[in-house]
Amino acid sequence: MNAIIFDLDGVLCHTDEYHYMAWKAIADELHIPFNREVNNQLRGVSRMESLELILRNSPVCYSEQEKFLLAEKKNNIYRELLQNITSKDLADGDGLGLPICALEKLHAVHIPMAIGSSSKNTPLIVEKLGIGKFFDAIVDGNQISHSKPDPEVFLLAAEKLHQKPSDCLVVEDAEAGVKAALNGGFLVAGIGPAKDCPNINYPLLSLSELLAIEGHPA
């Protein structure tokens, strides 16, 4: 393992609640049933694909232009909510505030690191959290054409790190992200819901465990 590529939401930070609130506002406006179970199906999925999943529960057919406007409206609500994001929204693994600690230690031993996220709001989130200094590359939804489970985001991150996919470990919390990493030929560490996904190389309870496996690929 020469480098590590992190998914953002659910791995380094938690913005699920902000997504939930924004999508719920849209669903309520359209009188479409929406709850946290439905919201969980949207993890690791692009904005437009998330909207399509929500609209499956609507008897109304929407034009592509209407869908675009709904997705933009959701994103505007979400970005407004993101103004409230702080370090308290950093993922804390086992509750010990470990993301920053783990990132600092990996950075100190010069492990190349990147973020690979389908979110187009990644730059804003990284800025608000103040974690950009740890990463040699950041790839987000603004730079890719295909969202997970397509491996494009991770392949581009590996390219920016000047590494082969097989020499990179991807850290993911969502099934779609795990599939993307596997599809791209990466080593995969699963955290949160993804730690029980089949075919991953490492199940993680917290990011601190990366310090133990660094340099020792499965």
Side-chain angles (χ1 to χ4, degrees):
M1 182 180 68
N2 294 337
I4 303 176
I5 302 171
F6 295 86
D7 177 43
L8 181 61
D9 194 11
V11 174
L12 297 175
C13 67
H14 292 302
T15 61
D16 280 358
E17 189 65 18
Y18 300 127
H19 279 295
Y20 172 74
M21 293 168 66
W23 280 126
K24 183 131 184 15
I26 296 298
D28 287 351
E29 179 182 319
L30 301 178
H31 305 290
I32 298 174
F34 186 80
N35 54 32
R36 294 185 186 278
E37 183 177 348
V38 176
N39 189 64
N40 286 339
Q41 298 174 21
L42 312 182
R43 296 174 64 87
V45 178
S46 72
R47 190 185 310 155
M48 292 306 298
E49 289 171 322
S50 294
L51 178 62
E52 292 287 356
L53 288 171
I54 292 170
L55 293 181
R56 286 181 185 177
N57 296 318
S58 173
V60 179
C61 291
Y62 293 89
S63 68
E64 292 304 310
Q65 178 63 18
E66 288 172 324
K67 291 177 183 178
F68 174 80
L69 293 175
L70 286 170
E72 284 298 296
K73 186 171 185 178
K74 180 269 176 181
N75 191 50
N76 289 336
I77 296 171
Y78 176 62
R79 286 181 66 86
E80 186 172 337
L81 292 169
L82 281 180
Q83 298 306 317
N84 301 314
I85 198 170
T86 66
S87 58
K88 69 178 175 57
D89 295 297
L90 285 165
D92 64 359
D94 55 12
L96 300 177
L98 290 169
I100 288 294
C101 179
L103 291 176
E104 287 176 341
K105 290 182 178 179
L106 290 167
H107 186 67
V109 294
H110 308 294
I111 298 296
M113 294 187 288
I115 290 175
S117 171
S118 297
S119 172
K120 293 183 177 181
N121 292 299
T122 295
L124 173 62
I125 296 170
V126 169
E127 179 186 358
K128 297 287 285 185
L129 294 175
I131 58 175
K133 61 186 178 182
F134 297 116
F135 298 99
D136 303 283
I138 296 177
V139 180
D140 59 45
N142 298 294
Q143 304 170 52
I144 60 174
S145 302
H146 307 286
S147 60
K148 303 168 187 176
D150 189 284
E152 181 183 8
V153 68
F154 296 137
L155 291 173
L156 182 54
E159 181 182 329
K160 286 177 177 279
L161 291 175
H162 307 291
Q163 301 289 337
K164 296 185 297 184
S166 57
D167 290 333
C168 298
L169 177 70
V170 168
V171 186
E172 261 288 352
D173 75 309
E175 183 179 0
V178 169
K179 288 181 178 179
L182 292 172
N183 289 339
F186 293 85
L187 295 166
V188 189
I191 195 168
K195 69 180 177 61
D196 298 318
C197 285
N199 301 318
I200 63 171
N201 300 92
Y202 304 104
L204 303 178
L205 293 177
S206 74
L207 294 183
S208 64
E209 294 178 2
L210 289 172
L211 302 168
I213 65 175
E214 185 274 311
H216 302 283

